[in-house]
Amino acid sequence: MQNKSQIMDDAAMRRSMIRMAHEILERNKGLDDIVLVGILTRGVVLAERIAAKLQEIEGESVPCLTLDARPFRDDIAHDDVRQAAPPNLDVAGRNVVLVDDVLYTGRTVRAALDAIMLAGRAQSVQLAALVDRGHRELPIRPDFVGKNVPTGRMEEVIVKLSEVDGEDGVWIVSER
């Protein structure tokens, strides 16, 4: 039997995204040299939403790039020993805000950092996550968080976005 409880609805998600956009602006003192990099799949949508909020607030657009971190993961077997830099990942000299939906062990973020380092030397890399659920295996901490949700290892956090799933919301699913 599964127990499913909603921890964020569309309004809570929208408020979190607005707050995160303001925090990004405040920390970076504006939008100069900022680039948002969304981790496939839902991180890309969240990065686009944050970019839209930043444009609403500041009146200027922010580049939004896509990153597939899977080829750089250390817990998946790969045919290629050495990975190539992702194409079209222009980060050299820029302040990168890496965006993902759920931060858990930190392994996806570590993989994304490897990809960013191959693409060029960023001025800084910051991390934005809609949900931080804890249980880190690596020393990685988000700079911008929509919601901190303490979870058990047997629980799963499900993020749904209208662009991908047809609805917005965040749920915790646990086996009972």
Side-chain angles (χ1 to χ4, degrees):
M1 175 183 235
Q2 280 191 343
N3 183 23
K4 185 175 178 181
S5 59
Q6 188 169 17
I7 57 172
M8 293 179 86
D9 60 10
D10 58 341
M13 290 175 67
R14 191 171 36 261
R15 285 189 301 272
S16 290
M17 303 301 288
I18 291 168
R19 181 177 39 77
M20 291 168 69
H22 281 284
E23 289 173 353
I24 289 167
L25 278 169
E26 185 176 317
R27 179 171 207 168
N28 292 284
K29 298 175 178 63
L31 295 177
D32 293 341
D33 295 320
I34 295 285
V35 61
L36 299 176
V37 176
I39 299 174
L40 281 177
T41 295
R42 287 166 185 81
V44 174
V45 174
L46 293 171
E48 290 168 350
R49 288 184 184 187
I50 291 172
K53 292 296 176 201
L54 290 169
Q55 184 162 7
E56 267 180 43
I57 297 164
E58 290 292 297
E60 57 184 280
S61 64
V62 177
C64 213
L65 306 176
T66 299
L67 174 61
D68 182 357
R70 291 174 298 187
F72 300 90
R73 290 192 59 111
D74 64 353
D75 55 351
I76 299 173
H78 300 288
D79 293 336
D80 299 9
V81 174
R82 183 173 169 89
Q83 301 298 328
N88 304 321
L89 195 61
D90 181 20
V91 297
R94 305 186 83 177
N95 294 304
V96 175
V97 179
L98 190 59
V99 183
D100 205 4
D101 57 347
V102 178
L103 179 58
Y104 181 35
T105 63
R107 297 211 174 266
T108 300
V109 173
R110 190 219 43 88
L113 289 170
D114 283 354
I116 288 169
M117 296 303 163
L118 278 175
R121 184 180 170 108
Q123 185 171 332
S124 70
V125 180
Q126 302 160 30
L127 177 60
L130 181 63
V131 177
D132 181 354
R133 64 169 289 190
H135 304 287
R136 220 74 78 235
E137 295 175 1
L138 300 169
I140 291 173
R141 179 186 56 82
D143 299 284
F144 314 104
V145 180
K147 187 171 186 77
N148 286 293
V149 182
T151 62
R153 288 212 180 257
M154 300 304 291
E155 294 175 314
E156 186 177 354
V157 175
I158 307 289
V159 174
K160 291 189 177 184
L161 302 172
S162 58
E163 295 89 335
V164 177
D165 308 295
E167 66 178 319
D168 282 344
V170 180
W171 290 264
I172 292 181
V173 179
S174 61
E175 295 292 324
R176 275 201 167 188

